Amino acid sequence: REWPFFRSMLDNAGQSESKGVELEFRGVPTVHTEGFLSFGYTDAKFVDYVDGEDDFGGNRIPYIPEYTFHAGFTYRHQFDYDMLDAVMFQADYRGVGKHYWQEENISYQNYYGLLNSKISFKKDRFELSLYGKNLLNEDYQAFYFRAMGRSYAQIGQPAIYGMKLKVSF
């Protein structure tokens, strides 16, 4: 089943079935705050898939997590100061459920969650933001594949912090 070149390969399957549901809620409890919550569930499996050697019928389809979760909020406060027009704080958490990397359903990534936040200061055409991504420094694989008899994984980004200056014209 190994492709002779150094790359990942996806095959056409005989028959697969994917069912799911996605829910999303968004609310504005005050003039300064907005929150959201979303959840997705997917049951994606091979119904009939024999590649000549192996029967993958009943296995989960690679790269499709069983569920995803995303929640967050934004708080924005307007000022009447000469030095500052507004400050905005955002935070969100994104969870990704277990998903498999290939048809055999041997290698997989367990559930992981990423916490992000940002605080922004706005004055006229300028906006300065300080942000953090993956604040809990979660270890996870962003991608995995096999080629030329070896396994390769792309590790997800560790915690990162930064600053961004935006100028609107």
Side-chain angles (χ1 to χ4, degrees), residues 9-140:
M9 185 177 111
L10 293 176
D11 295 330
N12 287 328
Q15 183 180 357
S16 61
E17 185 175 80
S18 181
K19 300 177 197 173
V21 64
E22 188 171 334
L23 304 170
E24 184 174 321
F25 303 96
R26 187 168 297 276
V28 183
T30 72
V31 295
H32 299 289
T33 59
E34 179 179 345
F36 68 89
L37 173 66
S38 65
F39 177 81
Y41 171 78
T42 305
D43 184 19
K45 294 183 178 177
F46 294 116
V47 174
D48 178 27
Y49 179 18
V50 179
D51 74 347
E53 298 174 20
D54 299 308
D55 182 357
F56 301 119
N59 286 9
R60 296 194 59 83
I61 298 173
Y63 309 113
I64 301 175
E66 186 173 3
Y67 63 91
T68 56
F69 171 80
H70 193 196
F73 73 94
T74 301
Y75 175 80
R76 181 181 177 96
H77 188 79
Q78 295 291 128
F79 293 102
D80 291 328
Y81 301 140
D82 289 337
M83 297 287 294
L84 189 62
D85 294 336
V87 64
M88 183 170 58
F89 178 74
Q90 297 172 299
D92 72 276
Y93 180 84
R94 179 181 308 269
V96 179
K98 182 178 180 178
H99 52 282
Y100 292 92
W101 296 118
Q102 78 281 32
E103 295 89 344
E104 296 90 345
N105 286 181
I106 297 170
S107 300
Y108 56 89
Q109 170 62 57
N110 276 323
Y111 171 87
Y112 65 93
L114 303 176
L115 178 64
N116 307 303
S117 70
K118 178 170 78 168
I119 187 166
S120 301
F121 305 93
K122 186 167 175 49
K123 178 62 181 166
D124 298 327
R125 300 181 340 221
F126 299 94
E127 184 175 327
L128 176 67
S129 299
L130 306 171
Y131 64 87
K133 296 182 179 183
N134 190 8
L135 293 173
L136 302 175
N137 202 29
E138 183 77 29
D139 289 324
Y140 66 100

